[in-house]
Amino acid sequence: MIKFENEELMNISIQQLMIPGDKVAHVQIGNNLEHALLVLTKTGYTAIPVLDPSFALHGLIGMNLIMDNIFGLERIEFEKLEAMKVEDVMDTNIPRLFLDDTLEVGLDLLVNHPFVCVQNSEKIFEGIFTRRAILKRLQKGT
Ligand code: AMP
């Protein structure tokens, strides 16, 4: 685990640093790839969470996964965008943070992921913890 001198800073909870769920772009289980591609393109994000109607977190969907799934052997199979659902291609093997995890725990996960989803004890999506948020806090230094 990465160690920092400033213990107070490292013990700040993820809840205090995350982008809350109502400000996070997402798609829902049942949405097709065309819709996901539209949201990703319009927001400019590389990946976004996949939630169900009760806001439970199921995985992440990104531009790379969508493109990878519509490339056929000889051509791009655009018709798959409408036919395939986000749950057919989403990444379900994702790291998750809990609201009361510390910045220190989050920092370790952000080494390999541009952002990590935050959930509560009932697995309900609460927000995301991004590299930008951590860099802003470190720049502030307190
Ligand atoms: P950042 O650290 O702000 O550059 O964000 C890194 C990644 O986190 C973005 O490429 C998105 O995949 C995701 N992200 C950041 N902010 C949001 C948001 N408001 N809604 C959805 N995804 C986001």
Side-chain angles (χ1 to χ4, degrees):
M1 188 177 277
I2 302 165
K3 281 279 163 217
F4 276 86
E5 294 294 312
N6 191 335
E7 220 171 283
E8 203 183 321
L9 181 63
M10 284 300 120
N11 284 326
I12 292 175
S13 75
I14 293 296
Q15 186 164 21
Q16 290 171 266
L17 298 167
M18 70 180 189
I19 299 175
D22 59 358
K23 297 208 169 70
V24 177
H26 71 274
V27 288
Q28 287 221 353
I29 292 278
N31 287 157
N32 62 19
L33 295 190
E34 188 174 28
H35 178 74
L37 188 59
L38 181 78
V39 177
L40 287 163
T41 306
K42 292 290 179 196
T43 57
Y45 297 132
T46 42
I48 50 174
V50 181
L51 308 178
D52 69 19
S54 57
F55 249 57
L57 173 64
H58 288 256
L60 290 180
I61 185 138
M63 202 66 99
N64 57 337
L65 277 175
I66 296 177
M67 296 315 288
D68 200 39
N69 276 277
I70 64 169
F71 273 118
L73 284 180
E74 287 173 3
R75 63 179 192 91
I76 301 176
E77 296 166 354
F78 287 109
E79 64 279 9
K80 282 191 175 170
L81 286 174
E82 206 187 335
M84 291 180 81
K85 306 281 186 206
V86 289
E87 58 268 35
D88 300 330
V89 307
M90 68 184 176
D91 183 6
T92 54
N93 184 19
I94 56 167
R96 293 160 188 250
L97 282 164
F98 290 95
L99 289 169
D100 55 0
D101 278 336
T102 60
L103 187 151
E104 190 166 28
V105 174
L107 190 56
D108 270 352
L109 291 173
L110 285 187
V111 170
N112 291 317
H113 305 272
F115 74 101
V116 178
C117 292
V118 184
Q119 64 184 27
N120 67 18
S121 51
E122 269 99 49
K123 295 191 172 171
I124 300 300
F125 177 73
E126 294 280 352
I128 57 170
F129 183 51
T130 65
R131 284 182 181 158
R132 188 192 300 273
I134 217 163
L135 287 173
K136 267 166 69 181
R137 194 65 190 218
L138 290 175
Q139 186 189 37
K140 204 170 142 208
T142 53

